[in-house]
Amino acid sequence: MVQVASHVDRQEDSRSNPTVLPPPAEVRADDVLVGGSNSAFLLPVKLCLERGAGSRVWDTNGREYMDFLLASGPLILGHSHPRVCEAVTRQLSNGTAFHTLNRPALELASRLVDIPGCVETVRFASTGTEAVMHAVRLARAYTGRDKVLIFAGSYHGSHDLSIIGYRGAVRAKSGGVPDSALEDAVIARFNDIDSVEASFATHGSSLAAVLIEPQQRSLDPLPEFLTRLAQLCRSSGVLLIFDEVLTGFRLAFGGAQEYYGVEPDLVCYGKIVGGGFPLSAIGGRRQIMRLADPALQSAPNFVHISGTLSGNPVSAVAGLATLAELDKPGVYDHLHRLGERLRGGLAWQLNTHGIEGSVIGSGPIAAVRFSDSDQPGSGLALREAVNRELILRGVLAQLQTRFYISLVHTEAEIDFAVDAFGGALRAAIERTSSAEGLLAV
Ligand SMILES: Cc1ncc(COP(=O)(O)O)c(C=O)c1O
């Protein structure tokens, strides 16, 4: 039987009697980390994690959570998988960083070029952000054009172009992104080929690339959308970049290229490829990638792609160990089955509780979208309230993004999460059914 202690009562305890629990680390975090956070996103419950094993994590107050955050996706084998730990431990005594060509990085590169699709050569970096940034730079150098088409609401990391896309629905941008960055961004709508055609009609001859999450924010592409996009790119001399930071090795071993059967010109990998350690890769056709060949340093369109820890051997062995597990027979069938079970359960709960919304995603991904209308409170407030209740019930997930599923999650754990989601919905509906309730969340 699956057990994770509900933290609802303990949370109430700590509110009424602050001495019950030791001083929470998350309070100190407010003083020393900006916003008490590690990133631009906040969980609706303050917690500080201390330990992870398999499908579980524990916070500094000893609370256990069933983890569907999985470090924002890299841990498809769960926390501290024995094969990954073995490989990393071995590597730790063989050298932790080289910067130069090293055996684990070479082996991992060989693994990546063996994947059917467009990847003929690769260059490593450390984060998904960097991989996308470098892919865009390669596309600009290759085509001699500057503009890049991105999709409103997409996410490609923390670089300027990505922020414009992520907040692109309102054409807003992050502080510190110069207005000039907007000039080179062309924004179309995902799954709307007419909007892409219109952008091509206006900007086609100055577009270097179309940068796309093939499954945008957990939303599958409509049939033919990617194929049509690839055709448009090809006929206009525009490079197609698949940002597979999230989908790579997740939807299928060959990622979105394999899953949707469409081949881009360049691919960005991150998250899973480093097995939970910092590593990313840009791969693609040889004639494009060769622009980053150091032997061409003096060529006018040489592309600088470098990083002190790029191709780090510890990350590379973690990535290799992870890919070895994923390459075993039946793995993706299993992951997809777990995903279907979770999506089905979450949708059933929404329906049962009369909540307007949908559950999207495929493979080991499930995302809940609360609709904005006809809800007690706005969809956004409800989502935050449900997310909070979910975490208090011992299920760690970020509803703003998605549930990530790992190979170590069991069907019983999926069912536990579904039940917890039902409980969270009930509690959140009660809280959000009045304006006062909403404010109290
Ligand atoms: C599709 C996509 N691209 C790029 C990134 C950025 O990767 P990183 O956070 O490693 O910089 C992310 C991160 O979530 C992502 O989901």
Side-chain angles (χ1 to χ4, degrees), residues 400-419:
Q400 186 184 351
T401 54
R402 61 195 65 77
F403 287 78
Y404 286 105
I405 299 169
S406 77
L407 260 184
V408 291
H409 281 111
T410 63
E411 291 190 350
E413 287 179 322
I414 298 286
D415 296 345
F416 178 93
V418 168
D419 284 348

Side-chain angles (χ1 to χ4, degrees), residues 72 127-130 132 155-158 213 217 243 245-246 271:
S72 193
T127 65
T129 295
E130 285 174 90
V132 175
Y155 185 70
H156 300 285
S158 298
E213 288 183 87
R217 302 293 84 194
D243 176 352
V245 168
L246 201 152
K271 297 195 192 268

Side-chain angles (χ1 to χ4, degrees), residues 97-102 123-127 130 133-134 137 278 280 282 304-313:
F98 299 121
H99 182 65
T100 55
L101 178 63
N102 62 82
R123 172 66 54 82
F124 288 115
S126 298
T127 65
E130 285 174 90
M133 202 176 70
H134 292 317
R137 190 175 287 164
S280 63
I282 312 104
H304 179 99
I305 303 180
S306 198
T308 303
L309 293 174
S310 295
N312 177 269

Side-chain angles (χ1 to χ4, degrees), residues 197-348:
E197 279 174 355
S199 299
F200 267 68
T202 315
H203 302 287
S205 59
S206 46
L207 275 179
V210 170
L211 170 63
I212 187 167
E213 288 183 87
Q215 184 193 70
Q216 181 171 304
R217 302 293 84 194
S218 311
L219 189 64
D220 276 312
L222 290 172
E224 297 303 309
F225 178 69
L226 294 178
T227 314
R228 194 72 197 91
L229 192 62
Q231 286 164 351
L232 271 174
C233 286
R234 215 165 299 126
S235 61
S236 306
V238 175
L239 297 192
L240 180 59
I241 305 173
F242 270 10
D243 176 352
E244 294 235 37
V245 168
L246 201 152
T247 52
F249 304 102
R250 195 181 314 273
L251 294 180
F253 192 83
Q257 284 195 92
E258 176 187 329
Y259 191 64
Y260 300 121
V262 175
E263 229 180 82
D265 299 294
L266 291 169
V267 178
C268 308
Y269 292 114
K271 297 195 192 268
I272 293 174
V273 77
F277 289 76
L279 187 131
S280 63
I282 312 104
R285 303 193 194 292
R286 197 175 290 276
Q287 77 264 29
I288 306 169
M289 295 297 299
R290 67 181 277 282
L291 294 178
D293 180 344
L296 302 181
Q297 288 262 4
S298 51
N301 60 352
F302 167 71
V303 176
H304 179 99
I305 303 180
S306 198
T308 303
L309 293 174
S310 295
N312 177 269
V314 179
S315 304
V317 296
L320 281 164
T322 301
L323 300 196
E325 291 304 303
L326 292 175
D327 206 13
K328 291 180 175 168
V331 160
Y332 285 92
D333 285 345
H334 179 62
L335 285 170
H336 280 250
R337 263 198 308 276
L338 290 178
E340 268 163 39
R341 192 176 184 98
L342 181 57
R343 286 188 295 277
L346 296 173
W348 182 83

